[in-house]
Amino acid sequence: MAITLDYLANQPLSLPIVANWYFEQWGHKVANNSLEKTCARLEGNMNRDRAPLCIIALENGVPQGAARLKLREMDIYPEKEFWLGSVYVPPAARGRAIAAQLSQRIAEIAHDFGARHLYLQTERLDGGPYGHQGWDPLEQVRYQGLDVLVMGRML
């Protein structure tokens, strides 16, 4: 089956699914966070014409992954405006290049918004799959208690 990409804003019934993915993957590690707070924050990404926004991958109307276009994700880099973030594909859907499709679509949207560069942070200090998708390592830093690699790409 073919994967289609759409804005979360066009698929509001998918919001609880995506929020649960994000909470289970990352949000539960954040002090004083909850699934409800994660869901409320994600509601702020229900945009189509401006960042922050979220897109989802769908197969037969069922969410298969999600990614976000964020603004100034890391406060230690105030000059870096547009960030790819929260790329998530559930285990059952992995191995089908869904994350790569999501990442590429976020890059296209950022470019349409006038961005010339896009950034991301990853805990994979070797760059993981991003090194094969046109991303360049910029700097390894310790941020919010984690060692992360900051990567960038020209749009």
Side-chain angles (χ1 to χ4, degrees):
M1 285 289 167
I3 295 292
T4 59
L5 304 179
D6 199 2
Y7 293 97
L8 182 59
N10 294 338
Q11 303 289 331
L13 296 178
S14 297
L15 176 71
I17 295 166
V18 176
N20 188 64
W21 289 341
Y22 287 171
F23 181 75
E24 291 297 319
Q25 183 67 30
W26 302 291
H28 72 279
K29 301 174 188 175
V30 178
N32 300 315
N33 195 20
S34 66
L35 178 56
E36 293 74 23
K37 289 178 181 178
T38 301
C39 197
R41 276 191 306 279
L42 195 53
E43 285 178 355
N45 287 242
M46 301 287 278
N47 300 311
R48 295 175 200 87
D49 60 348
R50 68 187 183 283
L53 60 79
C54 182
I55 60 169
I56 58 173
L58 299 160
E59 185 174 53
N60 292 329
V62 178
Q64 301 295 313
R68 295 170 54 203
L69 177 61
K70 300 178 173 186
L71 292 173
R72 295 182 178 85
E73 180 178 28
M74 297 178 76
D75 57 11
I76 61 173
Y77 299 109
E79 74 286 1
K80 293 177 174 33
E81 185 174 14
F82 291 97
W83 292 73
L84 167 66
S86 307
V87 179
Y88 182 81
V89 176
R94 292 180 186 165
R96 299 171 48 202
I98 295 171
Q101 292 176 56
L102 288 162
S103 299
Q104 180 57 35
R105 183 66 185 122
I106 289 291
E108 292 165 359
I109 293 168
H111 181 265
D112 291 347
F113 290 168
R116 298 181 61 161
H117 298 91
L118 187 62
Y119 303 94
L120 65 81
Q121 63 169 313
T122 177
E123 293 177 39
R124 293 276 308 265
L125 301 181
D126 64 356
Y130 298 108
H132 304 290
Q133 297 173 10
W135 294 87
D136 296 312
L138 301 177
E139 184 176 16
Q140 183 177 324
V141 297
R142 186 145 185 90
Y143 186 71
Q144 295 182 345
L146 296 172
D147 289 321
V148 298
L149 178 64
V150 176
M151 301 182 81
R153 73 179 266 199
M154 297 281 294
L155 301 179

